[in-house]
Amino acid sequence: MGGVDTQELVTYIMYRMLLPLVLVVAACIRVSLLSLLWLLFFMVLPCLPKFSFRNWLVHKSLKVYIIMLLVMSTMAISGHLVFWALQLSNKLDVTISTLCDPTNILLMNIGFQSLHEDVVPDVLDRVRLILPDFVVFLMASVTTILCFRSPHTPPHRSKTGLNVSRVWRTCEPFITVVCLFLAGAVAPSLVNVLYFATFITLSTLWAIGVKCGRIPYIKLLLLVISGLQLLTLYVYQFHGINTRLLPSSLTARLLGLVQYYVQDCEISTTHPPTIISNPLHLQLTEKLVWGDYAFVFALFALYFSLGQSARFLIKISSAPARDSSAEADETRNVSLKVSALRVLLLSYNHLVFNHVC
């Protein structure tokens, strides 16, 4: 039993801690469609059931998620191998002079970048561009192996010990309110006004004795809004989008859109050409205040907190239906038993009456 518990703990750490950490880092250190895919997988993870061997056998969503992640990471690795094969066969020309060509820019936005030292002279940039997809593939493979090595029958669990779900449900209202305050105060915008107004409302309700866990629809609405804002903020980092909607424009400032990455591509006209601005080099936007960076962390924390709550909200909302169905089945079974007993009594009385007569 101790071996099973240790295996379950290791698998839980891989599934619920290390895997989301790898996904969010892979999404943030490189702007591409592949990184956007890892961000989507990260956003789905908090809404899944809590991992355990029992839940692994009961909830199919846990299996579908890890299998989909393994398939998509395998396809990403295969895409890199095909891209390198085309480069080695000289069917793709990625040099300094062709770095800013539309085809190469499109491949960069997808996530396939050349690692030639002339194009990417910095070794750290080469590691940053290629390592995320391979690390995601490695983590997905190890996690999948550990999950499918779980026992075929759910292990017995005693009711003693620390209940993590109960501890989270106790601390979650406070954590959510703090994240709402940070998301609404550190970087003011029209969207963030909703977070700050909700923070004021929830704080007032909490002060007068109304628990924050009693308003599930507001939490689900905030979960959707914060998720859409995360996706919008990430998509805005692509060069083709933030050049059409400038960060200094009134619309971008009202919506809270901030450009964190500089991906300008410029080549000199001298011979031989040199790179003036390299989109493959990690360069952050200058003159950003601390609130712009703090807002991203606050928004991630808010979404993760609301995503964890969504699991319990769905579980609580589905519980009455299961209880009502069970109660109806029990009532139906009792009625059938009473009817059968009545028929038996009538038949017995009829037989006794005929015998006496």
Side-chain angles (χ1 to χ4, degrees):
M1 196 67 182
V4 175
D5 292 338
T6 303
Q7 181 183 355
E8 185 176 23
L9 177 61
V10 172
T11 310
Y12 176 85
I13 293 175
M14 292 288 294
Y15 202 112
R16 301 296 298 190
M17 297 181 182
L18 295 181
L19 186 59
L21 179 61
V22 168
L23 289 174
V24 72
V25 171
C28 292
I29 65 175
R30 181 194 61 187
V31 178
S32 65
L33 292 179
L34 286 178
S35 297
L36 178 61
L37 180 64
W38 308 143
L39 178 63
L40 290 173
F41 272 101
F42 168 79
M43 295 175 64
V44 172
L45 192 54
C47 303
L48 294 177
K50 180 186 70 173
F51 181 85
S52 64
F53 284 162
R54 183 179 299 274
N55 288 342
W56 172 259
L57 297 174
V58 174
H59 298 282
K60 295 182 179 179
S61 57
L62 293 171
K63 297 180 181 179
V64 172
Y65 176 85
I66 196 63
I67 292 175
M68 287 294 298
L69 180 59
L70 181 61
V71 170
M72 297 307 296
S73 60
T74 304
M75 293 177 63
I77 297 302
S78 302
H80 283 292
L81 296 178
V82 172
F83 178 77
W84 293 336
L86 292 176
Q87 276 192 296
L88 293 176
S89 61
N90 296 323
K91 294 183 179 180
L92 275 179
D93 183 20
V94 185
T95 58
I96 295 179
S97 58
T98 62
L99 179 63
C100 299
D101 289 352
T103 302
N104 291 332
I105 294 296
L106 176 61
L107 291 173
M108 292 178 197
N109 289 331
I110 295 175
F112 303 133
Q113 300 92 353
S114 174
L115 300 181
H116 196 274
E117 59 181 5
D118 293 336
V119 179
V120 189
D122 194 347
V123 177
L124 293 180
D125 280 331
R126 289 181 233 163
V127 174
R128 176 183 61 85
L129 293 173
I130 192 59
L131 196 60
D133 299 330
F134 284 90
V135 174
V136 171
F137 170 75
L138 179 62
M139 289 295 298
S141 302
V142 174
T143 306
T144 303
I145 293 173
L146 289 175
C147 290
F148 279 95
R149 289 183 60 186
S150 62
H152 298 288
T153 57
H156 175 72
R157 289 289 180 270
S158 61
K159 296 183 179 180
T160 60
L162 180 63
N163 192 325
V164 179
S165 301
R166 185 178 302 173
V167 172
W168 171 254
R169 285 196 292 266
T170 303
C171 301
E172 182 271 331
F174 175 76
I175 296 175
T176 301
V177 169
V178 172
C179 293
L180 282 172
F181 169 74
L182 295 176
V186 295
S189 66
L190 286 180
V191 181
N192 298 348
V193 167
L194 177 62
Y195 301 140
F196 193 76
T198 308
F199 161 73
I200 297 295
T201 304
L202 294 182
S203 300
T204 304
L205 294 176
W206 203 2
I208 62 178
V210 179
K211 295 184 178 180
C212 298
R214 302 301 181 185
I215 42 180
Y217 295 108
I218 295 180
K219 288 185 176 182
L220 292 177
L221 177 62
L222 290 174
L223 176 67
V224 174
I225 293 176
S226 59
L228 291 177
Q229 190 174 13
L230 272 176
L231 292 177
T232 304
L233 191 61
Y234 190 89
V235 172
Y236 184 72
Q237 305 308 311
F238 286 91
H239 181 72
I241 296 179
N242 55 49
T243 53
R244 288 173 173 79
L245 183 60
L246 297 177
S248 58
S249 64
L250 179 63
T251 303
R253 287 187 284 120
L254 288 177
L255 295 178
L257 299 176
V258 180
Q259 180 185 358
Y260 293 96
Y261 302 93
V262 177
Q263 291 183 304
D264 297 333
C265 188
E266 186 178 357
I267 305 297
S268 67
T269 57
T270 61
H271 185 76
T274 57
I275 301 176
I276 300 176
S277 181
N278 193 345
L280 298 178
H281 177 64
L282 180 61
Q283 182 179 354
L284 299 178
T285 305
E286 299 179 354
K287 299 180 180 179
L288 289 180
V289 297
W290 67 270
D292 295 327
Y293 296 104
F295 169 70
V296 177
F297 289 101
L299 192 60
F300 268 105
L302 175 63
Y303 179 84
F304 196 85
S305 174
L306 294 171
Q308 294 285 344
S309 301
R311 297 190 290 112
F312 300 114
L313 294 176
I314 295 172
K315 186 185 300 183
I316 293 173
S317 62
S318 61
R322 291 196 301 268
D323 293 340
S324 300
S325 178
E327 184 178 356
D329 292 339
E330 185 177 356
T331 304
R332 190 180 302 108
N333 291 333
V334 171
S335 300
L336 291 175
K337 290 179 181 178
V338 171
S339 300
L341 182 60
R342 185 179 301 172
V343 171
L344 289 175
L345 289 175
L346 290 176
S347 301
Y348 177 76
N349 291 334
H350 181 69
L351 291 174
V352 170
F353 178 77
N354 291 336
H355 178 72
V356 172
C357 293

PDB file of all heavy atoms in Angstrom, residues 82-95:
ATOM      1  N   VAL A  82      10.945  17.938 -39.488  1.00  0.00           N
ATOM      2  CA  VAL A  82      10.704  18.186 -40.916  1.00  0.00           C
ATOM      3  C   VAL A  82      11.303  19.524 -41.328  1.00  0.00           C
ATOM      4  O   VAL A  82      11.909  19.652 -42.410  1.00  0.00           O
ATOM      5  CB  VAL A  82       9.192  18.146 -41.198  1.00  0.00           C
ATOM      6  CG1 VAL A  82       8.901  18.600 -42.626  1.00  0.00           C
ATOM      7  CG2 VAL A  82       8.643  16.745 -40.974  1.00  0.00           C
ATOM      8  N   PHE A  83      11.171  20.544 -40.479  1.00  0.00           N
ATOM      9  CA  PHE A  83      11.713  21.864 -40.780  1.00  0.00           C
ATOM     10  C   PHE A  83      13.234  21.806 -40.907  1.00  0.00           C
ATOM     11  O   PHE A  83      13.820  22.384 -41.836  1.00  0.00           O
ATOM     12  CB  PHE A  83      11.308  22.839 -39.679  1.00  0.00           C
ATOM     13  CG  PHE A  83      11.850  24.226 -39.854  1.00  0.00           C
ATOM     14  CD1 PHE A  83      11.275  25.104 -40.768  1.00  0.00           C
ATOM     15  CD2 PHE A  83      12.938  24.657 -39.112  1.00  0.00           C
ATOM     16  CE1 PHE A  83      11.769  26.386 -40.933  1.00  0.00           C
ATOM     17  CE2 PHE A  83      13.445  25.934 -39.262  1.00  0.00           C
ATOM     18  CZ  PHE A  83      12.856  26.810 -40.183  1.00  0.00           C
ATOM     19  N   TRP A  84      13.904  21.094 -40.007  1.00  0.00           N
ATOM     20  CA  TRP A  84      15.364  20.974 -40.085  1.00  0.00           C
ATOM     21  C   TRP A  84      15.777  20.164 -41.310  1.00  0.00           C
ATOM     22  O   TRP A  84      16.808  20.458 -41.937  1.00  0.00           O
ATOM     23  CB  TRP A  84      15.901  20.330 -38.819  1.00  0.00           C
ATOM     24  CG  TRP A  84      15.727  21.179 -37.610  1.00  0.00           C
ATOM     25  CD1 TRP A  84      15.587  22.546 -37.571  1.00  0.00           C
ATOM     26  CD2 TRP A  84      15.657  20.735 -36.263  1.00  0.00           C
ATOM     27  NE1 TRP A  84      15.440  22.978 -36.282  1.00  0.00           N
ATOM     28  CE2 TRP A  84      15.476  21.888 -35.449  1.00  0.00           C
ATOM     29  CE3 TRP A  84      15.726  19.500 -35.643  1.00  0.00           C
ATOM     30  CZ2 TRP A  84      15.371  21.816 -34.064  1.00  0.00           C
ATOM     31  CZ3 TRP A  84      15.631  19.420 -34.266  1.00  0.00           C
ATOM     32  CH2 TRP A  84      15.454  20.576 -33.492  1.00  0.00           C
ATOM     33  N   ALA A  85      14.986  19.138 -41.664  1.00  0.00           N
ATOM     34  CA  ALA A  85      15.316  18.342 -42.853  1.00  0.00           C
ATOM     35  C   ALA A  85      15.215  19.191 -44.117  1.00  0.00           C
ATOM     36  O   ALA A  85      16.056  19.079 -45.022  1.00  0.00           O
ATOM     37  CB  ALA A  85      14.385  17.133 -42.941  1.00  0.00           C
ATOM     38  N   LEU A  86      14.208  20.052 -44.186  1.00  0.00           N
ATOM     39  CA  LEU A  86      14.079  20.940 -45.346  1.00  0.00           C
ATOM     40  C   LEU A  86      15.221  21.942 -45.405  1.00  0.00           C
ATOM     41  O   LEU A  86      15.684  22.307 -46.499  1.00  0.00           O
ATOM     42  CB  LEU A  86      12.735  21.670 -45.289  1.00  0.00           C
ATOM     43  CG  LEU A  86      11.482  20.810 -45.482  1.00  0.00           C
ATOM     44  CD1 LEU A  86      10.221  21.639 -45.299  1.00  0.00           C
ATOM     45  CD2 LEU A  86      11.484  20.156 -46.861  1.00  0.00           C
ATOM     46  N   GLN A  87      15.697  22.383 -44.249  1.00  0.00           N
ATOM     47  CA  GLN A  87      16.839  23.294 -44.242  1.00  0.00           C
ATOM     48  C   GLN A  87      18.113  22.599 -44.714  1.00  0.00           C
ATOM     49  O   GLN A  87      18.885  23.167 -45.499  1.00  0.00           O
ATOM     50  CB  GLN A  87      17.046  23.862 -42.840  1.00  0.00           C
ATOM     51  CG  GLN A  87      16.190  25.064 -42.511  1.00  0.00           C
ATOM     52  CD  GLN A  87      16.650  25.737 -41.230  1.00  0.00           C
ATOM     53  OE1 GLN A  87      16.590  25.164 -40.155  1.00  0.00           O
ATOM     54  NE2 GLN A  87      17.115  26.961 -41.348  1.00  0.00           N
ATOM     55  N   LEU A  88      18.334  21.386 -44.235  1.00  0.00           N
ATOM     56  CA  LEU A  88      19.544  20.658 -44.622  1.00  0.00           C
ATOM     57  C   LEU A  88      19.545  20.305 -46.104  1.00  0.00           C
ATOM     58  O   LEU A  88      20.609  20.213 -46.723  1.00  0.00           O
ATOM     59  CB  LEU A  88      19.675  19.381 -43.779  1.00  0.00           C
ATOM     60  CG  LEU A  88      19.943  19.596 -42.286  1.00  0.00           C
ATOM     61  CD1 LEU A  88      19.950  18.260 -41.546  1.00  0.00           C
ATOM     62  CD2 LEU A  88      21.273  20.324 -42.081  1.00  0.00           C
ATOM     63  N   SER A  89      18.364  20.091 -46.670  1.00  0.00           N
ATOM     64  CA  SER A  89      18.264  19.784 -48.099  1.00  0.00           C
ATOM     65  C   SER A  89      18.187  21.032 -48.967  1.00  0.00           C
ATOM     66  O   SER A  89      17.936  20.925 -50.173  1.00  0.00           O
ATOM     67  CB  SER A  89      17.039  18.904 -48.355  1.00  0.00           C
ATOM     68  OG  SER A  89      15.849  19.577 -47.964  1.00  0.00           O
ATOM     69  N   ASN A  90      18.391  22.214 -48.355  1.00  0.00           N
ATOM     70  CA  ASN A  90      18.387  23.504 -49.060  1.00  0.00           C
ATOM     71  C   ASN A  90      17.059  23.813 -49.744  1.00  0.00           C
ATOM     72  O   ASN A  90      17.013  24.582 -50.708  1.00  0.00           O
ATOM     73  CB  ASN A  90      19.518  23.548 -50.103  1.00  0.00           C
ATOM     74  CG  ASN A  90      20.892  23.464 -49.457  1.00  0.00           C
ATOM     75  OD1 ASN A  90      21.113  24.012 -48.383  1.00  0.00           O
ATOM     76  ND2 ASN A  90      21.809  22.752 -50.116  1.00  0.00           N
ATOM     77  N   LYS A  91      15.974  23.218 -49.245  1.00  0.00           N
ATOM     78  CA  LYS A  91      14.656  23.556 -49.769  1.00  0.00           C
ATOM     79  C   LYS A  91      14.041  24.749 -49.040  1.00  0.00           C
ATOM     80  O   LYS A  91      13.036  25.304 -49.501  1.00  0.00           O
ATOM     81  CB  LYS A  91      13.730  22.342 -49.665  1.00  0.00           C
ATOM     82  CG  LYS A  91      14.148  21.188 -50.566  1.00  0.00           C
ATOM     83  CD  LYS A  91      13.162  20.042 -50.495  1.00  0.00           C
ATOM     84  CE  LYS A  91      13.594  18.912 -51.424  1.00  0.00           C
ATOM     85  NZ  LYS A  91      12.637  17.757 -51.379  1.00  0.00           N
ATOM     86  N   LEU A  92      14.609  25.119 -47.916  1.00  0.00           N
ATOM     87  CA  LEU A  92      14.214  26.317 -47.188  1.00  0.00           C
ATOM     88  C   LEU A  92      15.450  27.175 -46.988  1.00  0.00           C
ATOM     89  O   LEU A  92      16.458  26.702 -46.445  1.00  0.00           O
ATOM     90  CB  LEU A  92      13.594  25.962 -45.825  1.00  0.00           C
ATOM     91  CG  LEU A  92      12.110  25.634 -45.785  1.00  0.00           C
ATOM     92  CD1 LEU A  92      11.685  25.288 -44.366  1.00  0.00           C
ATOM     93  CD2 LEU A  92      11.265  26.789 -46.310  1.00  0.00           C
ATOM     94  N   ASP A  93      15.371  28.409 -47.439  1.00  0.00           N
ATOM     95  CA  ASP A  93      16.510  29.311 -47.340  1.00  0.00           C
ATOM     96  C   ASP A  93      16.262  30.284 -46.194  1.00  0.00           C
ATOM     97  O   ASP A  93      15.485  31.244 -46.329  1.00  0.00           O
ATOM     98  CB  ASP A  93      16.690  30.071 -48.664  1.00  0.00           C
ATOM     99  CG  ASP A  93      17.918  30.974 -48.631  1.00  0.00           C
ATOM    100  OD1 ASP A  93      18.790  30.730 -47.777  1.00  0.00           O
ATOM    101  OD2 ASP A  93      17.988  31.917 -49.449  1.00  0.00           O
ATOM    102  N   VAL A  94      16.897  30.022 -45.060  1.00  0.00           N
ATOM    103  CA  VAL A  94      16.784  30.902 -43.907  1.00  0.00           C
ATOM    104  C   VAL A  94      18.171  31.434 -43.601  1.00  0.00           C
ATOM    105  O   VAL A  94      18.957  30.813 -42.876  1.00  0.00           O
ATOM    106  CB  VAL A  94      16.191  30.171 -42.675  1.00  0.00           C
ATOM    107  CG1 VAL A  94      15.985  31.154 -41.529  1.00  0.00           C
ATOM    108  CG2 VAL A  94      14.870  29.501 -43.027  1.00  0.00           C
ATOM    109  N   THR A  95      18.483  32.583 -44.196  1.00  0.00           N
ATOM    110  CA  THR A  95      19.758  33.241 -43.980  1.00  0.00           C
ATOM    111  C   THR A  95      19.498  34.667 -43.513  1.00  0.00           C
ATOM    112  O   THR A  95      18.344  35.085 -43.331  1.00  0.00           O
ATOM    113  CB  THR A  95      20.590  33.241 -45.271  1.00  0.00           C
ATOM    114  OG1 THR A  95      19.845  33.910 -46.307  1.00  0.00           O
ATOM    115  CG2 THR A  95      20.902  31.816 -45.717  1.00  0.00           C
TER     116      THR A  95
END
